[in-house]
Every structure is written in C-alpha cells, then in structure tokens.
Amino acid sequence: MNITSSVVVTGLGIVSPAGNDVATFWRTIRAGESCLRPLTRFDTTSFMVKTGGEVRDFSLSEFPRAAASQEDLAVQYLLSATEQALRQAGLTHEPDIAIVAGTNFAGAATGEQIFSAVVNDQTCDRLAWKKSAFQRGADAIAETWGLTGRRLTLSLSCSSGSAAVSVAADLIRTGQAEIVIAAGFDALSTFVWSGLGALRTMAQDTVRPFDINRDGTLFSEGGGVIILESGARAAARGAVALAEYAGGATNNNAFHITAPAKEGAGSAEVMRAALADAGLRAAEIDHVNAHGTGTVANDVTETQAIREVFGAHTDHMPVTALKSGLGHMLGAAGAAEAIASILTVIENEIPPTINCSNQDPACDLRVVKNTAARMTVDRVLSNSAGIGGCNSAVIFTKPGLTLPRGCPKPRRVVITGIGPVSSIGVGKADFFEGLAIGDDGVGACLLYPEDRFADMAVGEVVDFVLKDYFSKPKGYLDRATQFAFAGAALALRDAGLSCDGTAGNRRGIALGTETGCLETAGTFYADYLTKGPRFVKPILFPHTYVNTSISMLAIEYGLRGPHVVFASGAAAGPQAILAAVDQIRLGRADMMLTGGVEALSREWLTALSAEGALADDGVSAPFDRAASGLVPGEGAAILVLEDFEHAAARGARIYGEFTDGQTGTDAVFSCANGCPETDTAESAAIAKLVRESGQDIPVTAVKSMTGETGGASAAFHIMAGLMAMETGVMPPTLNTRTPRDGAEFDLVTDLDRACEARHFTVSCHDGRGQSDNIQVSKLAD
C-alpha cells in the first residue's frame, strides 16, 4: 500500500439556500444573510414548523445534459454542483475519476411513490427504485460524464458530506484513485419534513447557535462537491491547488441513537483523530467551523468537545456556525461547511454566526458574530455529527502547509469471527451445512401473506427469533436491525470477543446495505399519508435512516473507532469490507466489524417488481442462459477483522488473511444473481481471471441458494470461501442448466466437489460498472 504524500483541492461546486454557485454562496454567508424562509415546494398547512432553507431559483436549463432534469431533485442538485466543480478544476476528459457521495435520504421525494404504492396496494413507476436508490447520485454523475472510477455512496446521517471528503481522500492516499469527486446532497420532501418534525428538535423561527435562547435547528437542502486530487496528478496537469486536505476521521459516539455523548466525547475523539491524521497539534488550527445546530444539548456538548481538544487555545481560536443562516443541509451540510472552510483558507475571512446576540455561558467559545472576521487562516477544522452517533471531522490548509507523509508498513488483516444470518442457516454450523448440502433457501414469501407478495419467490430467513442469538432486551428494532444484532453477536462470540466498550477508539465498524431500514421508512410514511404529520410515530423516524442498524451495533458494543456505512447498492458490501481492511492496514483500528445487512420489505418487493428485476420463474439461477432476473433475499453477514498481531497476541483462531490477490487464486465465489447485466459482467471478469491464472479454477455462486442479499452478499461469499478452505468441499451453484455465453469456466453445479483452495477470490461485479475482487488466503505457515 503506497501512501500519497499530498491531497489537494482543485474544484468546488455548490447548490444551496445561500446560492447556486460558489461565488453567490460565499457572498451570502460572509454577509451573514439568513436563508431561512417559509417553505413553498409542498403544502405545510398540517406541519408545526413551516420555515426552512429551500434552494431558490434553481434551474437546469443551462445544464449540458438534458437527461438530468428527469432525476430526483436531490440528484439534480448534485449534478449541478458537480458540473461547477469539474469546470473549475479543468477536468473535461478524465474518465478515471472516482466518486464518493454522502447523503441522508437520497431520492426520498421519488421514493415516496413506492411508499404510496404499498399503502394504496398499487404499482409504482418502473423507474422509481432506480431514481430513489441511494447509489443513484454517484451513478448519475458517472453516466453523465462517462466516468469509470470507483463509485462509493455513504450514509452517515448528517455527517455524510464530511465523511465523503475523508473517505475520498483515503482513496487517493492509498493509491486507489488520483482524482475523486467528494460530495454531499439531499433535498427536502414531505417524508423528510414529517420525520424531522417528529424529532421535536426544530426551532420556532430561526437557528441561534450558542445563544442562550436557542431552541432548535431548521433544516435545508442542496448539494456540495469538492474535487480532491493527488498533488502529483494536479501538478502534472497544471491544475491550481486551491487548498490542501490535511487529514480527517470518522467515528461513533457509541452512546445513544439521538442524544449527544456526555461532554461531547465522540466529537472530541473524532477531532483528535483528524489532527493525528494530519500530523498537527491542536494549537496549529486557526479556526473551527462548528457543527453548531442550535439545539440546546448539541451546542453545549460541542463546546465541551472543542475545549477538551483545544484547551487554552480555545480562547484565541475563532469558531463559526453556518447553520445559523444556511439551516441544516442534512447530508449536504458537511460538504457545504467544508467548502466554506476551504474558502476561508483561500480568502482569509471567516463568515459569521448570526442570531447569537446573548451567548450562553455554557457555550463559552470565541464565536464570530454577525460580521465576518478578517484574519490569516492557514488551517481550519470542520466538525460534523449526526443521528446514530456518527461523527466526522476534516482539516484543510493553505497549499504546501501539510507535512510530508511517511509510508508506514501496512499491517496484516485477518478474519477471526463470522456471524451468518441467512435463509439457509443462522450461525456458522448451520450456514456451513446449508452450503455443503446445496440447500435451496428460496421459497414462497411467508413474511407477507398478501396475494401480491405471497406469489413472489424470496430468500427469507424463517423462524427467526432474535433472543436466540442476542438476549439483551431492546425497544424498537426492525427486521434489518434484528438481523444485524444477531449477526454481530454470533461473529463476536465466534471470535472470542466481548466488546464491552473498554477498547475505546481502537475498534470500529464498516458495513454495507442496499435498502437499510426500508420497512420502517414505509411504516412511518404510511402514518403520514393516512393520519397526517402530527400523528406520525416519533420513535420510528430515527430508525428510518440507512445507518441506524449499523450505528446501533456501534452503540451496543462500544465501537468508538472508524465508522463508515456504505449504501452503494449491491456494491455496498465489498466496499465496506475493503474499507474495513484499509482502516486496520493504516493503523487506525485493531478490530473492525464488517460485512452487511439486508431485509425483505413490501417496499423493496414492490419496487423490484415494478422495475421488472425479478426472475420470471421465481428461480435464482446465476449464469443460466434462461435466467431473467434476481430473487430477493435477506440476512446479515458479519465478519470480525483484526490486525494479525492483535489477534495472535490474544490467541485467536484465524480463518484467513486478506492478501490483495498477490498469491493467485484456487477458487472463485461469484456474486452473480441471475440478472443478465450482473451475470454478463461477472462472466467477463471471471473468464479473464481464469485466463490470466493459466489453470482451471472452480467457480460457484452462492446467491443460487440465498437469493440476492444486497449489502450482505460479499461477506456471505467470503464465509463460503472459508468453508471451502476448512472442509475441502466447494458449495454448488443451483438451478444453472445451460450456462450463458461467456461463462466458459468450471462452474460447480454438483455436490461434494473437492476443493484444495489455499487462496480464493470473491468476485463482485454489479452490472453498473462497479467491480471489486476480494482475495483471502489461508494464513501462511
């Protein structure tokens, strides 16, 4: 792993309540103008709060790609901001650009069509799922500009935009990309507004960060884009470095799903981690762009966190909270505030906090009030936080001020625990047995006995009782979260780890999901449709966030280290696993929970049916010439990853080691699912792998047994590979009678196929141009 010495900013773009280009945005926030006004996009008669930060005068009329106007509004904001940033960076013919997009709600306005269809027992538009899916923003950017680099989608509630910047920089530092579009985006809708209102954290009239009379926040929308580039690439093409990315971090409070940690402990830890990543002392930071929501508890705990990190320097360090005028831009907030931080470094001017006329003594920061402050700003830290205890911090400097980075020896990463929850078995023993005998976990939908669902074939986890695997009593837990809790408990137990929180920030989590807690989102919105916004259930809304299942694991097990939630469709699982591996290799964690979780829901089944993605005959038949679509499945696949030395020191049993394919491969576990696009991509990739190896390699596809398990599928395939290495038997591919053209390799369709694998590859190619190969080997003697 080669660590790049510098990451620079070469382009900025924004769509926001403060303006739809960078110049207008900067002029508005530095002038201290409020952008909070009565909402006009939807009827607010029944809502308690009617004021927010809408994007005004937005038009795609001059946008060069006409198809963009057909996208969800949130994605339109993202595309416009991307156009601005690419233009400033001078990037017109660079197809290898990667994308990291963060969002709370993605295309929620379009997703409302799916929720309404379920409530009204109707079908939805066939493109509703595509347009509302979390990965759509990154996909739309790639399609619009013909980009072929990696595409990652994150959802870490209101720290999403900032986390996207940090993850994007890591792609450059680790040599996975040279140029990355880092973005945050979200749009207001009735689903979003009814949910945020249910949290009872909204202000009556305006946002007053750090003021003694503050009474809440007000939400807004938009899209922010930052072009990050390796210093070497930028210099080679003559690009102007606007600023330099010095460091960043993500973590979790591991405290409560909505309440801030006591004394701002999580925020303090993430800011310390960002400083460490940047190689900076706290006293070297000239300015903090605060999360500053204007809620009573958050402003106090953020103040405590800043004082804890910066000590006596706090009294001399100016702080600002842009949500006072911008409102809280949700998943775009961290990106917008990062852009403001970069502009502060460029212009040597700090935009003000407005509405802070009577500062709370408990928020004793040096707040820049009402008028912008002119001063030299060489280094700025931007702090973000969100529901689920998610935190992120990023640091920018003037170009040339970041210290040269060394190239630490990458640490070895091993697997020490597995926790499968699947339709063919729960727990290692049952899951391994199901794989070995070729158990078909696909059958009629028992979860939803209604006629339109009962006729669907699904890979359903039946007779599942959470207390059989996780006995601690909990309040509301939806199906996805129950699977996640069971999978994590099984994996930690298998690894011999208690995870009681005492390990602090050396243990983290990186999981993937395609649908998140979609069933809870549908249940919540059904109440809005049938009863109105004043009668929705407040307890449900925090559980509608994509990150909820994963964040609740961090809270339960005290995982206060690196925290990333991937929502990139079927690519989310492999992306999460590879990110977890990198966190350990880079020395940021000793242990990571990784893998993914997925749950069936009426909403997902309705959307897939309308899209025409389901198999016509209800059979999951990867690589079969007659296969017409997928069979949806569910479950959780959780892995415990550890630094080899950490695992060896405690005498852990080691299943295998991640090896980056340097050892070759003896078997391939394919994520083919029966969809023609996915299977074609998988066939081409595997055929190439086999040709390059010069030997006949057995190939199998576990989704023939489990169905399409989305974010959990990559970890399920790793577990299947571990079973093959442990037992010497390759699990079969079911239902494939006549392999499709291009599948010219040894597809295992029979039972008891001997497999002498010491090195295996999990092949993940999703048909959307995204591909990841994960290589695992037996531990070297």
Side-chain angles (χ1 to χ4, degrees):
M1 178 183 291
N2 296 317
I3 307 298
T4 300
S5 60
S6 68
V7 178
V8 298
V9 176
T10 57
L12 303 172
I14 195 162
V15 172
S16 76
N20 301 329
D21 59 78
V22 172
T24 306
F25 169 79
W26 179 244
R27 185 168 60 249
T28 302
I29 63 171
R30 68 173 294 279
E33 297 179 15
S34 176
C35 307
L36 302 172
R37 304 179 182 89
L39 299 175
T40 61
R41 183 174 309 135
F42 48 84
D43 184 5
T44 60
T45 303
S46 300
F47 291 101
M48 295 291 290
V49 178
K50 309 175 191 300
T51 301
E54 277 183 328
V55 170
R56 307 281 173 145
D57 303 320
F58 175 75
S59 173
L60 280 175
S61 60
E62 298 182 4
F63 194 79
R65 283 87 178 175
S69 63
Q70 304 302 311
E71 301 285 353
D72 184 272
L73 186 58
V75 176
Q76 292 185 41
Y77 293 159
L78 176 62
L79 291 172
S80 179
T82 302
E83 171 82 9
Q84 299 169 39
L86 290 172
R87 188 187 316 123
Q88 182 180 25
L91 293 167
T92 55
H93 303 290
E94 305 280 349
D96 60 339
I97 297 173
I99 305 161
V100 182
T103 181
N104 278 21
F105 302 109
T110 302
E112 291 172 6
Q113 299 176 23
I114 301 172
F115 299 148
S116 298
V118 173
V119 170
N120 297 313
D121 196 17
Q122 297 173 342
T123 59
C124 60
D125 184 273
R126 70 178 184 86
L127 294 179
W129 181 247
K130 177 182 178 181
K131 291 183 178 180
S132 63
F134 273 72
Q135 69 269 21
R136 182 57 200 161
D139 284 354
I141 291 174
E143 292 169 12
T144 301
W145 283 278
L147 305 183
T148 59
R150 297 192 72 199
R151 301 199 296 272
L152 282 62
T153 300
L154 312 180
S155 193
L156 289 153
S157 60
C158 299
S159 67
S160 296
S162 176
V165 176
S166 180
V167 170
D170 277 351
L171 290 182
I172 295 172
R173 285 175 167 180
T174 56
Q176 299 176 65
E178 290 189 300
I179 306 173
V180 187
I181 296 168
F185 69 104
D186 264 313
L188 297 178
S189 67
T190 54
F191 170 81
V192 171
W193 203 252
S194 59
L196 296 170
L199 295 178
R200 303 289 192 267
T201 59
M202 285 211 252
Q204 291 300 306
D205 56 354
T206 195
V207 184
R208 299 179 175 86
F210 308 122
D211 190 271
I212 199 165
N213 295 312
R214 67 190 182 281
D215 62 347
T217 198
L218 289 173
F219 293 94
S220 53
E221 62 181 359
V225 169
I226 299 171
I227 305 296
L228 295 179
E229 199 164 343
S230 75
R233 176 73 170 260
R237 67 181 190 86
V240 175
L242 306 175
E244 195 160 346
Y245 172 90
T250 64
N251 77 354
N252 195 281
N253 291 337
F255 176 70
H256 190 272
I257 191 171
T258 54
K262 295 177 181 178
E263 300 180 347
S267 287
E269 285 184 354
V270 83
M271 287 189 280
R272 280 200 194 94
L275 287 166
D277 189 50
L280 293 172
R281 293 177 291 108
E284 293 179 278
I285 297 297
D286 299 310
H287 160 56
V288 168
N289 190 311
H291 187 57
T293 60
T295 58
V296 174
N298 279 280
D299 285 5
V300 171
T301 54
E302 187 173 18
T303 298
Q304 293 169 330
I306 290 172
R307 285 210 163 272
E308 173 67 22
V309 173
F310 294 95
H313 181 56
T314 306
D315 295 329
H316 310 286
M317 182 181 63
V319 174
T320 196
L322 299 182
K323 293 180 180 70
S324 57
L326 269 177
H328 191 325
M329 291 175 63
L330 302 168
E337 290 159 12
I339 289 169
S341 299
I342 293 164
L343 293 170
T344 292
V345 167
I346 295 170
E347 302 293 340
N348 291 309
E349 189 169 20
I350 301 172
T353 303
I354 61 174
N355 307 321
C356 186
S357 57
N358 188 7
Q359 191 167 340
D360 187 347
C363 301
D364 56 343
L365 303 171
R366 186 184 167 192
V367 179
V368 178
K369 302 175 187 175
N370 301 322
T371 303
R374 292 285 304 177
M375 61 174 284
T376 299
V377 180
D378 289 332
R379 301 174 182 88
V380 57
L381 182 149
S382 184
N383 188 48
S384 297
I387 278 179
C390 302
N391 299 305
S392 179
V394 289
I395 299 172
F396 298 96
T397 74
K398 282 183 166 54
L401 292 186
T402 299
L403 296 173
R405 302 183 65 83
C407 187
K409 181 181 179 181
R411 301 196 300 171
R412 296 171 65 184
V413 184
V414 296
I415 302 168
T416 59
I418 63 175
V421 177
S422 78
S423 62
I424 63 170
V426 178
K428 173 186 170 181
D430 287 348
F431 182 69
F432 276 15
E433 181 182 359
L435 291 172
I437 66 174
D439 188 13
D440 189 347
V442 172
C445 181
L446 304 178
L447 187 61
Y448 305 117
E450 300 95 321
D451 289 345
R452 61 194 174 112
F453 299 117
D455 291 338
M456 293 183 181
V458 295
E460 181 180 337
V461 180
V462 298
D463 300 326
F464 174 81
V465 180
L466 178 60
K467 67 180 181 180
D468 292 342
Y469 313 100
F470 180 85
S471 59
K472 294 183 181 179
K474 293 290 177 185
Y476 177 82
L477 294 178
D478 69 359
R479 192 169 177 84
T481 309
Q482 290 184 45
F483 291 157
F485 267 81
L490 287 165
L492 290 167
R493 191 182 310 154
D494 186 48
L497 290 170
S498 62
C499 268
D500 57 4
T502 58
N505 59 9
R506 298 298 300 171
R507 294 179 176 180
I509 191 167
L511 264 75
T513 181
E514 182 170 1
T515 64
C517 301
L518 190 59
E519 182 176 38
T520 300
T523 301
F524 176 85
Y525 198 65
D527 281 343
Y528 166 80
L529 290 174
T530 57
K531 303 174 185 177
R534 300 192 186 192
F535 297 96
V536 296
K537 296 180 178 66
I539 191 175
L540 291 184
F541 188 67
H543 294 267
T544 68
Y545 283 66
V546 164
N547 63 288
T548 297
S549 294
I550 292 93
S551 294
M552 289 186 74
L553 293 181
I555 294 167
E556 177 65 32
Y557 293 109
L559 306 176
R560 301 203 306 272
H563 188 94
V564 193
V565 179
F566 291 84
S568 314
Q575 289 175 0
I577 294 165
L578 293 170
V581 170
D582 282 347
Q583 292 299 316
I584 296 174
R585 281 182 174 161
L586 291 167
R588 295 173 181 166
D590 296 324
M591 186 279 281
M592 295 286 293
L593 279 189
T594 191
V597 61
E598 220 66 71
L600 296 171
S601 65
R602 292 181 176 89
E603 291 72 21
W604 194 27
L605 295 175
T606 296
L608 291 174
S609 178
E611 189 179 43
L614 300 178
D616 292 339
D617 56 3
V619 174
S620 181
F623 296 121
D624 191 82
R625 181 173 296 173
S628 56
L630 60 85
V631 171
E634 63 179 357
I638 310 295
L639 304 170
V640 175
L641 308 190
E642 290 186 68
D643 166 49
F644 169 70
E645 292 184 1
H646 181 268
R650 67 181 189 85
R653 184 264 317 279
I654 294 174
Y655 285 103
E657 177 178 5
F658 291 90
T659 53
D660 283 343
Q662 298 175 1
T663 56
T665 191
D666 302 320
V668 175
F669 294 80
S670 168
C671 288
N673 63 4
C675 282
E677 297 83 0
T678 303
D679 288 8
T680 297
E682 277 287 281
S683 294
I686 294 171
K688 180 174 182 291
L689 181 65
V690 172
R691 284 196 305 273
E692 290 176 349
S693 73
Q695 58 182 335
D696 203 14
I697 301 173
V699 178
T700 194
V702 175
K703 290 179 186 177
S704 63
M705 304 183 209
T706 64
E708 174 56 77
T709 51
S713 64
F716 277 139
H717 286 74
I718 288 176
M719 293 177 190
L722 296 176
M723 185 215 78
M725 286 202 306
E726 182 175 294
T727 66
V729 175
M730 189 84 165
T733 301
L734 308 183
N735 308 319
T736 301
R737 296 174 176 81
T738 307
R740 65 171 46 251
D741 293 341
E744 286 91 19
F745 39 75
D746 181 17
L747 185 65
V748 177
T749 58
D750 54 314
L751 294 174
D752 301 321
R753 171 74 74 88
C755 179
E756 299 298 328
R758 290 189 59 84
H759 320 282
F760 69 84
T761 297
V762 174
S763 176
C764 308
H765 298 74
D766 66 359
R768 295 167 31 245
Q770 289 303 283
S771 61
D772 288 294
N773 283 342
I774 302 173
Q775 289 86 25
V776 177
S777 297
K778 282 187 177 180
L779 197 64
D781 295 332

